Amino acid sequence: MLEETLILFRNIRNPDYDKSLKGYKKAGGLKALKQALEMQPDEIVQLTKDSGLRGRGGAGFPTGLKWSFMAKDTGKPTYLVCNADESEPGTCKDRELMLHDPHQFLEGMMISCLAIGCRHGYIYVRGEYWPSIKSLNAALQELYDDGILGKKLLGKGPKLDLTVHPGAGAYICGEETALLDSIEGKRGHPRVKPPFPAVSGFNACPTTVNNVETLTCLPFIVNEGAEAFKAFGPENNAGPHLISLSGHVNKPGVYEVRLDANLKDIIYDFGGGIPNGKQLKGVIPGGASSSVLTADEIDVTYSFDALAQAGTMMGSAAIMVFDEDTDVVKLLHRIVRFFSHESCGQCTPCREGTHWARMIIRDFLNGNGNEHKLKRLHRVGGNMMGTTVCALGDACGMPIQSFTTKFADEFRDVQALAA
Amino acid sequence: MDAFPTEIVRFELDGKTIEALPGESILQAAQRTGSEIPHLCYKAGYRPDGNCRACVVEIDGERVLAPSCCRNPKEGMQVNSQSERALHSQKMVVELLLSDMPEQGKSPYTQRSELDIWAEKLGVVQPRFAGRQQPVQDISHPAISVQLDACIQCTRCVRACREVQVNDVIGYANRGDHSTIVFDLNDPLGVSTCVACGECVQACPTGALMPSDNVGLEVSDKTVASSCPYCGVGCLLTYDVKDNRILRVEGREGPANKSRLCVKGRYGFDYVHHPDRLTQPQIRCEGVPKTVELLNPSDFDKVFRPASWEEALEVAASGLKRIRDEQGPQALAGFGCAKGSNEEAYLLQKLVRTGFGNNNIDHCTRLCHASSVVALLEGIGSGAVSNPFTDVEDAEVIMVVGSNTPVNHPVAATFFKNAAQAGKDLILIDPRRIDLARYASYSLQFNPDTDVALFNALMHTIVEEGLCNEEYLAKYTEGFDALKENLKDYSPEGMAKVCGIPAETLREVARRYATAKSSIIFWGMGVSQHIHGTDNARCLIALALMTGQIGRPGTGLHPLRGQNNVQGASDMGLIPMVFPDYKPVGDPTAKHFFEKLWGTTLDPNPGLTVVEITEEIHKRNIKGLYIMGENPAMSDPNLNHTREALARLEHFVIQDIFPTETAGFADVILPTSAFPEKTGTFTNTNRQVQLGRQALEPPGDSRQDWWIIQEMAKRLGLSWNYRGVPDVFEEIRKATPSMAGITWDRLEQDHSVTYPCENEGDPGDPVIFTDGFPTPSGRGKFVPAKFSQAAELPNEEFPYVFITGRQLEHWHTGSMTRRAGVLDAIEPLPIVSVNPSDLGQLGVDAGTTLTVQSRRGKLTAFARGDHGVPEGNVYMSFAYNEAAANLITTDRLDPFGKIPEFKFCAVKLSAGGDPAPRLV
């Protein structure tokens, strides 16, 4: 039977936890920040590198390495921007952290600001997360009132300000460069890379964009050390990880797991299996943009590398389960409709491709599908991948390609049914 | 955009090693070396955006395809634009875009759709995707038609409008497949804030934005590379000509315009095809009296009769000759024109000096920058600009004084806005809040007429706070002590009340200007057209000298010249006190030089200026007048007086393309060629000598201006024998040492050469005064100026201040632009701009009529509310003969520059009134 690791959720799972600054301190909070203040920035970066922490936003890029890319000696300020625009369908883990234990996250953010020499950090929160925004602002106010943030961090460190910036409802603003445009007051359009934000990001200054959960790992890493963090998973897949489990399971929710757990166990142990005794048909393992796994493929270690090996990805660790009664053509239509609606409209393959993909799937739903269209749908999906300004093209292309490959017969069935 | 490499790199493209120059993207390097990569959203000169993805290439070692327009090659990089994956992606992009074209085929709006070109090259024929609902055509604008069914969302128009011309009208709205181009807040183009520069049309690759009336579908016979006839910016352009008509105009890469144009230069050419064009010489009918009233064009045939060239030239010349011989040379005068070429200006002043026998030759420079030129000649020994306006790129601080640049020099203004967007400080000093203010760090809306008080306060601050450039002062200037003494009385605190700007703001601006690494000053007629215009300019010169903000890139003094060739016409000596190249007529050496060059004796006395000539005509001392192109019956101050003078002329010959308001007073009218019908050189505000090339045959029996002048010369007893324009240019090189190095061949080849260019092969100096000044001492001279007031101050009876100027769509007296269909459609009625609170007090609704009256005249025009006009002031352009602003203005002159005070006189306003009938 799988059990939660309770590192990030240590406080949240404690029913008596008081999430105020006072309560957080009582639970041992801010120790890591004090310690980090005694460290050189490079030491924090090295520690993070050693911990093997990989980004929890979707790409799984090593965090310490990302920090080390920050352009040096540019004469410009450097920025840490926290991406709290949690919008990937099925993902709701950052919300838990911001709502129920904001200080742990903020402590992580402060430590990270020290690591990259940031004097003003921004937290870009999904606009619909109003309660989280309120929770963060209240927590920030406590930190300022207590003299922790402001002119001198903890009363003795460098100046540090943190600002919460609410988004305005665009999925694309979760893409890091669109997010930066949005904070700058522009329309959120992903930027052409290179240059990457570490060279030219917010206001054309060196910038790191990190996810909420990623930053929340920092206090533990500083307190307990790199090795302790690494122990929560196999080689190269360090640390506890929050997963958002949803769909046809008995106990949906956010769980904290080791990265050597088995996907099947997650679904059946944490999720309590499929409701009404139905059979499982498939799993979307890492948010709407990850390739689908069929029932036969779910006996896989839920880690970055194992999932990649299985031809999919961990993404934002949003596991969506669907049962035997699910119409996969409708499901794909719903996913593609989402991406088509959220495409920023900037580049051709995505703007046109998501539209056409949706139109072709609609043909299938209307009984107008055929073998040609199935092939064309597959190709449109393929053409979006690796050709667009940002990863939204890939995000829409991957489900299209995997659904049309793994569930091709169901597309043909719809067609037959209509005929 | 990634940081571009600073040195040459070698990389492999499709198996071939090629070199990329510093700053080149993969796409640019490929293009230069003859490889083709499809591209749609990339346009040379624009920021690459990488959105269309038609130019994607595969780079070894990279997972995703890269947009070659945005990617800098690295040494040894292996790039493949022809791989299966890259080609497949490129084709898919084209196919997806083609599927949404009308009828899924070629663009029905242009013959040059880049999408069609690439579809053909890539072999994409029939898209496999169904077309979808598309927006309907928007033809609400007179100049530009919008058909978004052909739009491929490449955003070239967005970049054109927001980043190149910086008008911020076009935006990108909605998301995903709903993405669309919008004007302002999704308004029809015709009611948006579009200024019709047409940059977006030039940028659009598919014909979604086109000139109206489907001219984009017509095939031209030829294209001609030329320049623009309107303002002093000197944009280069290309005409598309069909059947001796200009179909359309595109901006061409030129040093002053980088392919940009404004509404006049792009859509203002059909005046040349207007039915009013004069096509045959006309002689005034026997016994038709001359009155002050303007001639109604419908009565033209009752006043004039057509004549042969032989007869007309004979009548014209004999009349002048008779006056000269009977009453002496001083009874004759000539007005040239800053719209004519250098060659025409040169010939005309030579005609007057050698044929008439006096120096009574002047032109409209007298009405625009005469005072600036006087101050510049006196202070730094040269009347031309020190630096080109494109130097704003190197400037830290850009000060614009008395210039509504986006209206009068629209393309120059785009460079100012580019600079402001790049973070440079733009400081505006103008009583009106002009559109540039949106980009300015400071906009000083000071009280009209208090220029000297304001400038002296700035200089006072610089002296008091020790911000002078002492080293520069010691090395390059003289007379500073007198200036310093004069400045004592002008503390910002004392002047704040006078000019209406807080003392601290004055101090901040002074500090910013003085301490910046490079500061440049631009000024327009807000400075020059005052009776203290010369004093105003003296102050600006002193500002630059005391801070050493001159003689380096990004610094200097730049009086923005108004007409396309006002710089050249002045250089050619079309002014009464100097020969070509500003050699004083009283200087014996100069006189001797020109007597030798022209083989005759010359009058050593300076002649009279424009308004002085009018006055002498009025007094019947001058009896004969020859005009090339000028329109004093509209352009000169106190028009009732001016027109009275014109009516008193015994013999008046005019050469023009239209029966202008002035032509109605003539005895002989000689029909001539419009700008696109002739070849010649024109010198812009940057001192760039540029070629205007003939694209059309003149209509009917109208002739070339240079030919007409030569025929007049012959009939006045001169033995001229120029075979063509290049002949005249050769003589100009001899007469004007600063242009001696410019050859006709070089102009043919380079289109534009900057003077000074003294020897053949010299590159030409864009920045001058780098080591002192062409004054006798080699130093710049400070000339102190004391605050003085306008000739006519408001009082109880005439409580408002009347300011004249121009507007974007209409050029000067409107003779060209009111006959240009698009321009006239955009601004068809005479407008007087008033602050809305004044309108409220007067009980006048915007759009209804308002009568303006001064001590000299009265007019009725349509009121327009304009928050940029300060309370107590009214503003009007002088383009409308039915409400000629110069009926109101005063003819009091600046004592040095002899320029009238167009920018200030007292008027009263009353609601209502009937506008006079329009005479065009």
Side-chain angles (χ1 to χ4, degrees), chain A residues 31 42 83 109 274 278 359 362 389:
Chain A
K31 237 175 66 192
D42 287 352
N83 185 347
M109 177 129 185
I274 316 301
K278 298 278 183 190
M359 289 295 131
R362 204 177 60 175
V389 173

Side-chain angles (χ1 to χ4, degrees), chain B residues 556-850:
Chain B
L557 295 162
H558 190 123
L560 284 155
R561 309 312 300 258
Q563 295 270 15
N564 60 330
N565 197 35
V566 68
Q567 182 64 55
S570 305
D571 297 342
M572 293 304 107
L574 207 58
I575 29 186
M577 44 296 259
V578 294
F579 293 126
D581 219 18
Y582 304 95
K583 298 287 185 304
V585 294
D587 172 17
T589 325
K591 182 166 166 283
H592 180 71
F593 174 84
F594 283 102
E595 283 180 340
K596 208 173 143 205
L597 183 67
W598 294 336
T600 181
T601 54
L602 293 169
D603 180 359
N605 302 307
L608 298 172
T609 61
V610 167
V611 184
E612 288 171 331
I613 289 172
T614 309
E615 203 47 49
E616 291 304 304
I617 297 173
H618 212 270
K619 292 181 188 155
R620 301 188 196 276
N621 293 331
I622 289 179
K623 305 209 164 141
L625 181 66
Y626 189 92
I627 290 187
M628 173 178 77
E630 292 257 298
N631 192 8
M634 284 293 290
S635 65
D636 286 18
N638 192 4
L639 280 183
N640 283 324
H641 187 76
T642 304
R643 290 172 185 175
E644 219 169 83
L646 290 172
R648 286 181 185 187
L649 279 166
E650 213 177 284
H651 187 66
F652 173 22
V653 181
I654 187 166
Q655 62 185 82
D656 208 310
I657 60 170
F658 287 120
T660 61
E661 292 78 3
T662 304
F665 295 90
D667 293 280
V668 183
I669 308 175
L670 305 172
T672 174
S673 43
F675 184 89
E677 296 158 2
K678 62 186 171 196
T679 293
T681 63
F682 298 82
T683 308
N684 71 357
T685 188
N686 287 345
R687 289 182 272 106
Q688 285 145 350
V689 182
Q690 313 193 113
L691 261 193
R693 290 189 180 85
Q694 181 171 2
L696 304 174
E697 287 305 318
D701 203 11
S702 53
R703 301 280 170 94
Q704 296 289 335
D705 291 82
W706 73 267
W707 179 87
I708 298 171
I709 303 167
Q710 174 154 289
E711 289 304 308
M712 289 302 296
K714 284 178 181 166
R715 285 169 175 77
L716 287 173
L718 303 171
S719 56
W720 290 11
N721 189 23
Y722 300 102
R723 285 160 304 168
V725 176
D727 271 7
V728 184
F729 187 77
E730 276 311 303
E731 188 171 315
I732 291 173
R733 293 178 62 198
K734 293 191 191 113
T736 314
S738 55
M739 285 169 62
I742 305 177
T743 63
W744 190 264
D745 284 348
R746 181 163 168 201
L747 282 169
E748 283 278 9
Q749 195 185 322
D750 296 354
H751 311 289
S752 174
V753 182
T754 303
Y755 84 76
C757 176
E758 291 175 4
N759 303 298
E760 280 185 36
D762 283 359
D765 298 329
V767 179
I768 53 178
F769 313 138
T770 50
D771 188 21
F773 299 95
T775 52
S777 60
R779 290 167 178 267
K781 189 167 111 190
F782 287 103
V783 183
K786 293 215 177 298
F787 173 54
S788 62
Q789 289 191 300
E792 184 180 87
L793 297 176
N795 62 11
E796 253 176 50
E797 195 191 350
F798 297 98
Y800 287 89
V801 174
F802 187 71
I803 306 174
T804 69
R806 267 143 272 222
Q807 63 194 93
L808 176 64
E809 291 80 6
H810 285 302
W811 186 259
H812 276 216
T813 64
S815 52
M816 291 154 73
T817 52
R818 294 201 86 195
R819 292 181 174 93
V822 164
L823 303 176
D824 189 47
I826 298 176
E827 283 287 10
L829 296 171
I831 295 300
V832 55
S833 299
V834 187
N835 188 288
S837 87
D838 283 342
L839 280 183
Q841 286 207 348
L842 291 160
V844 174
D845 290 331
T848 63
T849 58
L850 178 67

Side-chain angles (χ1 to χ4, degrees), chain A residues 3-9 240-242 254-257 270:
Chain A
E3 281 187 19
E4 284 197 278
T5 47
L6 296 189
I7 300 300
L8 305 177
F9 268 11
H241 206 120
L242 297 179
V254 179
Y255 299 95
E256 186 179 324
V257 298
F270 286 150

Side-chain angles (χ1 to χ4, degrees), chain A residues 1-260:
Chain A
M1 191 72 178
L2 270 182
E3 281 187 19
E4 284 197 278
T5 47
L6 296 189
I7 300 300
L8 305 177
F9 268 11
R10 184 181 69 249
N11 297 327
I12 289 177
R13 288 288 188 249
N14 173 3
D16 298 328
Y17 178 60
D18 163 17
K19 71 170 188 172
S20 73
L21 181 58
K22 209 172 117 200
Y24 181 62
K25 281 184 180 169
K26 212 172 117 194
L30 295 186
K31 237 175 66 192
L33 178 62
K34 282 173 196 150
Q35 198 181 326
L37 206 50
E38 305 298 319
M39 297 165 75
Q40 291 299 318
D42 287 352
E43 289 179 82
I44 309 175
V45 174
Q46 192 55 46
L47 176 69
T48 310
K49 272 188 186 169
D50 293 344
S51 76
L53 173 63
R54 291 171 67 171
R56 269 36 173 167
F61 195 82
T63 306
L65 190 61
K66 193 174 191 177
W67 290 352
S68 68
F69 289 156
M70 290 286 277
K72 305 269 178 339
D73 305 322
T74 58
K76 295 179 182 175
T78 55
Y79 290 100
L80 178 68
V81 175
C82 174
N83 185 347
D85 190 62
E86 184 173 56
S87 312
E88 182 69 17
T91 317
C92 50
K93 62 192 178 67
D94 294 339
R95 182 182 63 182
E96 299 299 298
L97 294 171
M98 293 186 285
L99 257 183
H100 301 303
D101 196 7
H103 280 295
Q104 188 187 195
F105 154 56
L106 292 172
E107 185 181 6
M109 177 129 185
M110 291 187 275
I111 294 168
S112 309
C113 284
L114 287 175
I116 63 167
C118 166
R119 301 286 169 262
H120 194 153
Y122 290 84
I123 306 163
Y124 187 92
V125 189
R126 175 175 177 174
E128 292 90 336
Y129 276 9
W130 194 241
S132 300
I133 293 167
K134 266 167 71 178
S135 161
L136 285 177
N137 274 325
L140 284 175
Q141 193 56 50
E142 289 181 302
L143 290 170
Y144 276 103
D145 290 346
D146 208 40
I148 294 169
L149 277 175
K151 282 186 182 142
K152 285 193 161 142
L153 185 62
L154 277 172
K156 56 179 174 176
K159 165 195 173 294
L160 181 60
D161 288 304
L162 295 181
T163 301
V164 171
H165 188 111
Y171 168 77
I172 197 61
C173 290
E175 196 278 343
E176 62 177 5
T177 56
L179 183 153
L180 295 174
D181 267 12
S182 179
I183 304 188
E184 288 175 10
K186 298 171 190 153
R187 177 190 166 90
H189 266 182
R191 302 174 183 174
V192 173
K193 286 147 282 209
F196 291 92
V199 174
S200 177
F202 179 58
N203 285 343
C205 299
T207 303
T208 291
V209 182
N210 285 137
N211 165 265
V212 175
E213 184 190 341
T214 313
L215 297 176
T216 309
C217 292
L218 262 295
F220 178 85
I221 294 171
V222 172
N223 280 330
E224 309 294 334
E227 291 308 316
F229 190 76
K230 270 187 26 200
F232 288 98
E235 179 77 28
N236 198 32
N237 292 272
H241 206 120
L242 297 179
I243 55 154
S244 314
L245 184 58
S246 66
H248 295 141
V249 287
N250 280 312
K251 291 189 289 173
V254 179
Y255 299 95
E256 186 179 324
V257 298
R258 293 174 59 88
L259 280 187
D260 48 15

Side-chain angles (χ1 to χ4, degrees), chain B residues 435-485:
Chain B
D435 193 47
L436 264 186
R438 291 197 286 144
Y439 309 93
S441 306
Y442 295 92
S443 178
L444 309 188
Q445 266 189 277
F446 69 110
N447 295 331
D449 194 38
T450 63
D451 319 56
V452 172
L454 187 150
F455 302 142
N456 277 351
L458 297 181
M459 289 192 278
H460 179 102
T461 306
I462 291 168
V463 172
E464 188 189 52
E465 301 188 4
L467 306 176
C468 291
N469 184 335
E470 299 293 343
E471 201 182 319
Y472 192 89
L473 280 177
K475 196 166 173 196
Y476 291 121
T477 70
E478 62 193 11
F480 186 55
D481 289 342
L483 182 87
K484 219 156 112 178
E485 186 59 32

